[in-house]
Structures are given as structure tokens and as C-alpha cells.
Amino acid sequence: MTDSERGGRLGEEFFTPGTSSFTEFLAAHRPALLPTRRPFPDGVRAAPDAFPHGTTVLALAYRDGVLIAGDRRATMGNLIAQRDLEKVHPADDYTAVAFAGTVGLALDMVKLYQVELKHFEKIEGIPMTLNAKARRLAGMIRQNLGQAMQGLAVVPLLTGYDHTAPDGEKGRIFSFDVAGGLYEKTDFHAEGSGSPYARGALKKLFHRGMSRREAALSALQALYDAADDDSATGGPDINRRIFPIVSVITEDGFERLPEPETEELTREMVEHRRSSPDGPTATP
């Protein structure tokens, strides 16, 4: 019997002690609400250009924590499906997640992950550790494996500020594969179709102890390089005033850089590219 059939009253399962995982609760009582259910019969794959896909996201550690950023383009084959997609989202006060892959499923997974972390904290009375948050997201991706094998993959990038880590190592970065494999990355990482070019740019620009401004400019340079070589990655759209999303996580929590700040840094970077189209050289 559904809640509406009971006259709006919650079912007994809502008052029975059980798991602190909201995903496991849904799987047991409302599996149809999970975004990980397979949409097609066995043997059927989604056409590669039938659903919007998000592309390049990246993260890098810096002096005060960790920065996470993403371009704004979603594509369907050779079509631009959306120019202002938001691929970077706070998961809680000290954790953020960005995604590449099938947009609709990714957005649902991000929302479910946000509820998962909040549900755990309410049930247990304490927040998850950052390692536990990474493992929990890996489990959710593993549940999506059936959809990934049908061509609807989601590949997130997780960042967080770890208060328990030594100084200089509090900003942490985790990547995943479509089967839920979990990998912690050192210094920087990128995911999506433009990620090889973004990682190449970060390799020459990254250095330990970067300021927030240096980290943000490096992220913008890396996304610009990705857009320069990958048609699915969108560069800054000056005319429409659509700029990459850049967010940081420090001891003060998650903060999305204000748009005026991102615009100023983007315009500075684009102006520099007029005289140096290939971007800055590697630091000695």
C-alpha cells in the first residue's frame, strides 16, 4: 500500500530502526525510485547521440584546500545540447562532486548522494569520514553498472576537505571508474572527454602551495586547453557571459567562486591567450 492509499500516513518502514544508508532504504522499500534501475531490456544499448552528455571536470589541491571546476557544455553527438550546464555541486559542507557522462542520470545520482550523506548524519549523529563518503559514492556508481553497460555511464569526481589529514594534505581528490573502482589522486585530476588535455595543462601549471587565485587561473587555463582540442568541451562564452564553474573547499567549507570573480579571471586568461595562444609555459 502506498502512502497516498494510507491517506498520506507514512508506512511502518519509516518508523522501524534499520540502515543508515538512504540508498539501501530505497532499494528495500521503493526500488522504483532509484536512478540506477536499468532503462532498457538486456542486450539493448542507448544510441551514442540520444542523450545529453557532460564533458570535462577537474580538481586540484592548493594551499588552503581543494578546488573543483567544470566547463558548461553538454553534447548529443555533434550537437550542443546545453551551453550552461552546472556540473559541480556541493555534496555537503565539506565535500563537492562534479560529473562527466549522461547528464540526467548524473544529476539524479548527485541529488541521491546529497540525501545519502544527510541521512547518515541524521541517523548516526555524526558526519561520515571523507574516506567513507568516497566509498559510499563508489557503491552508488557500482549500482549503476547495468546502465553503464547500456551506454549510460556516469563518472563523478569527488573532492573534500579532510580536517584529520596533516597540514598541506587536507584537500583530497577521488576519482572512479564506471564499475565503482575508487582511486585517490595526488595534486590534481580531470575526467571527461577533454580530460587528457586538461591533465596535460595541469601537469605544466601545478605546483605545491598555490594560492586560490593561482589555482583558479590554472583550472581555467586547463579547461581552455581542453576546449581547444576537444569539441565536446565548451570554452568560456564571453558574449553570453557563460563561464566555467569554479568552487573551493577549505576549513570554512564549500564556496562557489562568485561570478564576477570567475568572469574577471576568465577575461584575464583570455586576454593573455591573445598573445600566447598555447597558454603559459611550465613553471621551472
Side-chain angles (χ1 to χ4, degrees):
M1 182 180 292
T2 66
D3 297 338
S4 60
E5 290 170 336
R6 300 187 187 98
R9 297 189 302 275
L10 294 176
E12 191 65 31
E13 63 271 19
F14 289 91
F15 302 97
T16 303
T19 177
S20 59
S21 169
F22 184 73
T23 304
E24 292 178 5
F25 176 83
L26 279 185
H29 302 289
R30 299 289 190 276
L33 297 179
L34 285 172
T36 53
R37 63 189 185 279
R38 297 177 68 171
F40 306 123
D42 290 345
V44 176
R45 285 183 58 85
D49 58 352
F51 300 94
H53 275 68
T55 47
T56 309
V57 294
L58 59 84
L60 65 153
Y62 74 106
R63 183 176 60 205
D64 300 324
V66 63
L67 178 147
I68 185 166
D71 81 309
R72 307 294 296 275
R73 178 173 291 178
T75 58
M76 292 176 59
N78 63 340
L79 300 177
I80 297 175
Q82 188 173 347
R83 301 179 188 275
D84 60 351
L85 177 65
E86 299 202 1
K87 305 174 187 176
V88 180
H89 301 267
D92 63 14
D93 290 342
Y94 291 97
T95 318
V97 61
F99 66 84
T102 307
V103 172
L105 296 180
L107 290 173
D108 279 351
M109 185 177 290
V110 168
K111 293 174 184 176
L112 182 59
Y113 185 57
Q114 291 168 335
V115 175
E116 181 80 7
L117 299 186
K118 186 175 295 184
H119 183 265
F120 178 92
E121 187 168 351
K122 287 184 175 180
I123 296 297
E124 299 294 338
I126 57 172
M128 284 188 195
T129 65
L130 186 53
N131 286 335
K133 292 174 187 177
R135 290 194 297 269
R136 188 62 59 93
L137 183 55
M140 294 174 63
I141 299 166
R142 195 170 299 115
Q143 293 172 352
N144 192 59
L145 182 58
Q147 291 181 333
M149 298 305 293
Q150 292 182 320
L152 301 174
V154 176
V155 182
L157 181 62
L158 181 71
T159 59
Y161 187 87
D162 189 348
H163 291 86
T164 66
D167 289 342
E169 301 176 15
K170 294 185 182 295
R172 299 173 64 189
I173 302 166
F174 300 89
S175 72
F176 307 84
D177 60 34
V178 295
L182 171 61
Y183 315 94
E184 183 165 5
K185 301 297 182 178
T186 302
D187 297 335
F188 60 85
H189 191 64
E191 292 287 359
S193 61
S195 61
Y197 315 107
R199 285 198 296 268
L202 290 173
K203 184 179 290 187
K204 69 179 182 179
L205 297 175
F206 179 85
H207 62 88
R208 296 290 180 92
M210 301 173 80
S211 68
R212 168 169 147 160
R213 176 181 172 82
E214 289 175 319
L217 276 172
S218 296
L220 293 171
Q221 295 277 11
L223 290 172
Y224 193 99
D225 277 353
D228 201 32
D229 287 298
D230 173 46
S231 62
T233 303
D237 192 331
I238 302 294
N239 292 332
R240 294 185 177 91
R241 298 188 65 189
I242 300 174
F243 305 101
I245 293 176
V246 181
S247 298
V248 296
I249 313 173
T250 66
E251 64 178 352
D252 296 322
F254 175 91
E255 178 192 357
R256 176 169 167 171
L257 266 62
E259 186 144 326
E261 181 178 354
T262 305
E263 179 175 354
E264 178 189 350
L265 292 173
T266 301
R267 290 182 181 275
E268 177 183 329
M269 182 266 297
V270 170
E271 184 61 31
H272 182 266
R273 291 274 180 155
R274 295 183 188 276
S275 57
S276 302
D278 293 329
T281 58
T283 55

